Amino acid sequence: MRRWQEADAEALYKYASDPEVGPRAGWPPHQSVEESLETIRTIFGGDGMWAIVLKQTAEPIGCIGYLPKGQSNIEVGTAEAEIGYWVARPYWNQGICTESLRWLVSYCRDVMHFTTLWADYFLDNLASSRVMEKCGFADTGIETTCPTLMEGSDKPTRVKKLSL
């Protein structure tokens, strides 16, 4: 993991323009390198966001982060946060999201001192649910929608929770 850099815009576009990636995470595919650069500047550049990079090449292939109270799509408490992640399609089913989420859970517990992490996934994205389960998240039984999402705001999501 490392912080996003403006120089990552082309690599981000390469993967974020894939029509199979963004909609699974709640955003439309990127249409240009300029859009990817703007995303780095306005969304991925925040304190709680990191690029998931390949160890061999340091190329960013995804994103992971947390959203504290006031920024979350889910109603979270003061010492809580919502987590989110995505990884490029060529790297699906390789354990990269699970490894990245385990890192983020440790960071949120040990550095941010959050007491609870929340996450949600679209009902048709069971791979994301499995990543959460491998990292200790439990199903809450709550189904909701996330009206602030750029894409899929009307699609139902399932909420999971991890007490730290």
Side-chain angles (χ1 to χ4, degrees), residues 12-80:
L12 175 57
Y13 175 69
K14 177 171 124 180
Y15 297 120
S17 61
D18 183 334
E20 293 296 317
V21 174
R24 291 175 184 255
W27 42 269
H30 288 199
Q31 300 299 309
S32 67
V33 173
E34 292 74 24
E35 179 182 1
S36 294
L37 177 59
E38 186 63 18
T39 299
I40 290 169
R41 289 177 175 159
T42 61
I43 300 170
F44 293 173
D47 287 339
M49 297 290 169
W50 290 268
I52 299 171
V53 297
L54 282 179
K55 292 175 184 174
Q56 304 87 333
T57 65
E59 177 186 32
I61 59 164
C63 186
I64 192 162
Y66 67 84
L67 298 170
K69 182 177 178 75
Q71 296 177 23
S72 174
N73 293 306
I74 301 169
E75 188 62 38
V76 301
T78 313
E80 301 177 344

Side-chain angles (χ1 to χ4, degrees), residues 46-154:
D47 287 339
M49 297 290 169
W50 290 268
I52 299 171
V53 297
L54 282 179
K55 292 175 184 174
Q56 304 87 333
T57 65
E59 177 186 32
I61 59 164
C63 186
I64 192 162
Y66 67 84
L67 298 170
K69 182 177 178 75
Q71 296 177 23
S72 174
N73 293 306
I74 301 169
E75 188 62 38
V76 301
T78 313
E80 301 177 344
E82 174 187 2
I83 61 91
Y85 51 83
W86 65 269
V87 71
R89 187 168 22 165
Y91 304 99
W92 289 357
N93 300 311
Q94 296 181 30
I96 294 169
C97 276
T98 302
E99 179 183 347
S100 299
L101 183 53
R102 285 184 178 137
W103 175 87
L104 183 62
V105 166
S106 295
Y107 182 89
C108 287
R109 180 189 60 237
D110 301 339
V111 176
M112 297 307 299
H113 306 291
F114 290 131
T115 59
T116 306
L117 296 178
W118 298 85
D120 64 341
Y121 64 94
F122 290 119
L123 300 180
D124 61 353
N125 189 354
L126 295 178
S128 188
S129 175
R130 284 191 300 276
V131 167
M132 293 172 199
E133 288 169 6
K134 289 176 188 177
C135 294
F137 284 76
D139 191 357
T140 64
I142 299 169
E143 284 190 15
T144 189
T145 58
C146 298
T148 60
L149 293 178
M150 295 167 58
E151 185 161 313
S153 60
D154 58 342

